[in-house]
Amino acid sequence: MDAKEWTWDETLFSGSAAHYGIGRMPYPPSLADAVCNELDLDGTGRLLDVGCGPGSLTVLLAPRFASAVGVDADPGMIAEAQRRAGEAEAGAIEWRHLRAEDLPADLGTFQVASFAQSFHWMDQPLVARRVRDMLSPGGAWIHVGATTHRGVTGEHPLPHPPPPWEQIEDLVARYLGPVRRAGQGHLPQGTRGGEEAVMRQAGYTGPTRITIDEERIADRSIDEIISAVFSLSSSAPHLFTDQLPAFEGDLRHLLQKSAPNGRFAERASAVEVVIWRP
C-alpha cells in the first residue's frame, strides 16, 4: 500500500499521545514571536489548530489570540491536550475530537489556521478548501514543519552521545517488518507530498517562509528516547501487540549499552513556518 492508496484509520496514533510530551522536543518560544510579527497579531481574533495532537503548538500560540480551538481525530490526543493545557494554565482553548475532513463543524471563522506536522495525514484538497472558507478576511494558514522526535547532525561536539537512531530503526523493523507501518496499513514511500500544488489549486497565494534556526541542544534520558519512538505512527505502542514488553526491554537494553550513564544529547532541528493566504 503506497501513500496514494493508504487511508486514515483511527488507530494511527493509538497509545502515542502520552509519549509526546516526554519524547518530543518542544517548539522554541521564538516560534510564537516569529508568527506574531509576520502576521501582525495583536491578541485578538481566533486560532484554529488542525490536527493539534497533544496541543504542543496550540498552547504555544494561544496566548497571541483571544481564543483558540484545537481539533484532532485521535481521542487520546485530545485528552492529553486538555491535560497539558490545564497544567500550563493556557487560557481560552476549546478542544474538539474531530477529523479535519469534517470541518467546518459549526466552529465559526478564524484569523489563523495552523497545521503542525499533520496536513500530510489528511485529504489535503478537501481540507484546504474547507479551511479556506473558515478564514476571516486577511486571515492566514500556517504550516509548521520540524523534526521533533529526534535531532539533527552538527559540527560541534555534544555533551553526551546521540541516540543510536539507525539501530533503533533496525530494532523496530525486527519486530514490525521492513515496511513502514501506519495504523492498519503500510507506507513504504512515506506520507504524501505536493502541498504547494494543493494549496494553489485550493485558492491560496504565497507562500511566505520563515525559518527559526537556533542552536538548541537537548539533554535526553533513556525514557525520553523510548517515548520518542512510541510517539511515532510507525512505531506506536499498539502495533507491537503482545510483543510490546519484549520490544521495550530490547530498546532499553540497546539504549543503556549506547549510553551507560543514561544520558543522550541532540541538536534540535530548525523549524520552518510556511504561510499561505486565501
Side-chain angles (χ1 to χ4, degrees):
M1 178 181 293
D2 62 25
K4 294 181 180 179
E5 298 171 340
W6 180 85
T7 56
W8 176 88
D9 70 75
E10 62 184 8
T11 69
L12 182 59
F13 282 98
S14 180
S16 293
H19 292 285
Y20 260 73
I22 301 170
R24 296 290 183 118
M25 289 178 275
Y27 297 114
S30 57
L31 168 60
D33 295 332
V35 170
C36 184
N37 292 336
E38 181 65 30
L39 300 182
D40 294 323
L41 302 179
D42 60 4
T44 63
R46 303 173 72 212
L47 167 70
L48 175 66
D49 192 18
V50 186
C52 65
S56 305
L57 182 65
T58 329
V59 171
L60 179 63
L61 294 182
R64 308 304 178 109
F65 297 84
S67 63
V69 179
V71 303
D72 199 274
D74 185 279
M77 291 291 185
I78 290 296
E80 182 67 8
Q82 291 173 322
R83 185 190 68 79
R84 296 177 66 186
E87 289 182 350
E89 298 181 351
I93 305 177
E94 177 186 356
W95 304 101
R96 295 282 297 272
H97 175 212
L98 183 73
R99 287 196 69 194
E101 290 81 356
D102 293 329
L103 292 169
D106 296 322
L107 291 177
T109 58
F110 296 84
Q111 184 179 4
V112 173
S114 58
F115 293 72
Q117 306 175 71
S118 61
F119 191 47
H120 52 274
W121 294 118
M122 302 170 188
D123 181 335
Q124 293 174 322
L126 175 64
V127 173
R129 292 193 303 270
R130 292 191 173 178
V131 170
R132 180 197 62 198
D133 294 338
M134 297 174 72
L135 292 172
S136 58
W141 163 305
I142 65 172
H143 184 185
V144 176
T147 301
T148 53
H149 75 282
R150 63 181 291 178
V152 296
T153 58
E155 297 180 358
H156 303 295
L158 295 168
H160 304 292
W165 284 109
E166 290 187 7
Q167 292 173 269
I168 292 171
E169 291 168 354
D170 289 343
L171 180 62
V172 171
R174 275 175 42 201
Y175 277 84
L176 300 182
V179 182
R180 175 179 170 176
R181 295 290 302 275
Q184 301 305 306
H186 296 78
L187 280 174
Q189 305 302 321
T191 53
R192 61 177 68 89
E195 177 184 322
E196 188 162 322
V198 168
M199 297 299 288
R200 295 190 190 284
Q201 291 168 5
Y204 293 82
T205 61
T208 300
R209 300 179 187 272
I210 305 170
T211 301
I212 297 95
D213 191 6
E214 305 168 354
E215 178 74 358
R216 294 183 292 136
I217 305 298
D219 187 323
R220 312 189 74 191
S221 68
I222 287 176
D223 286 339
E224 287 171 333
I225 302 303
I226 290 173
S227 280
V229 173
F230 286 144
S231 75
L232 298 169
S233 62
S234 57
S235 50
H238 73 96
L239 295 175
F240 297 92
T241 61
D242 59 356
Q243 291 188 302
L244 181 61
F247 170 76
E248 184 170 347
D250 286 345
L251 177 56
R252 190 174 295 277
H253 176 74
L254 169 62
L255 295 174
Q256 288 172 337
K257 183 178 178 181
S258 300
N261 71 346
R263 307 306 303 179
F264 296 95
E266 294 191 278
R267 287 180 177 81
S269 78
V271 180
E272 183 182 53
V273 182
V274 182
I275 302 172
W276 294 90
R277 298 181 184 274

